[in-house]
Amino acid sequence: MKYMFSYDIISELAKRTKEYRLAYPLTQQELADRAGISLRSIQKFEKGLDVQLDIFIKIIMALDLADNFDALLPDMSNRPSAYLAKQKGTVRKRVRKKKVQPGNRTFKWGDE
């Protein structure tokens, strides 16, 4: 998935979500009722079209897949390095761009 475009990812998510719906087994209307969204939103999403994030989350929750979000975006505070940073009191709150010194600039092709 590293080299996919966003529409490819949306299409893949739609395909997998539809497979879960069919395995559940639920009709599109039953899923729409369960998620509290319109049938048209389900149809649109399953065609691979872009939908709002909250609609996607409602669909995932209606299919009882919300527990899988930890695999998508793991909690950064559970890493050992985060634990050590908390002990030192160096929890990162923002990121600044590194300043490039004129003499320390590395050559890149096309910079001639």
Side-chain angles (χ1 to χ4, degrees):
M1 289 190 109
K2 184 177 179 180
Y3 298 105
M4 295 177 82
F5 293 106
S6 62
Y7 54 82
D8 293 328
I9 294 172
I10 292 169
S11 180
E12 184 64 25
L13 286 172
K15 181 183 127 206
R16 292 181 188 188
T17 304
K18 182 177 181 178
E19 289 171 356
Y20 270 97
R21 177 184 63 79
L22 294 173
Y24 212 82
L26 291 172
T27 64
Q28 287 180 332
Q29 184 62 57
E30 290 171 332
L31 179 59
D33 293 341
R34 199 173 166 155
I37 58 177
S38 69
L39 172 62
R40 181 70 187 123
S41 293
I42 299 290
Q43 292 168 338
K44 186 176 167 184
F45 178 68
E46 286 189 357
K47 286 182 182 177
L49 301 174
D50 198 7
V51 295
Q52 293 177 354
L53 181 60
D54 68 320
I55 290 174
F56 174 66
I57 291 171
K58 287 177 182 179
I59 293 170
I60 295 302
M61 290 173 70
L63 291 172
D64 296 324
L65 296 171
D67 292 338
N68 295 327
F69 279 117
D70 278 337
L72 178 63
L73 287 172
D75 184 6
M76 295 293 286
S77 65
N78 288 338
R79 299 176 318 150
S81 59
Y83 176 73
L84 293 173
K86 282 181 187 177
Q87 283 184 332
K88 291 180 183 178
T90 59
V91 178
R92 180 170 277 199
K93 295 187 181 177
R94 65 178 177 256
V95 177
R96 292 185 184 177
K97 279 185 156 183
K98 293 180 182 178
K99 293 182 181 178
V100 178
Q101 299 294 332
N104 294 343
R105 187 167 175 221
T106 58
F107 175 79
K108 293 182 184 177
W109 288 103
D111 282 354
E112 306 86 36

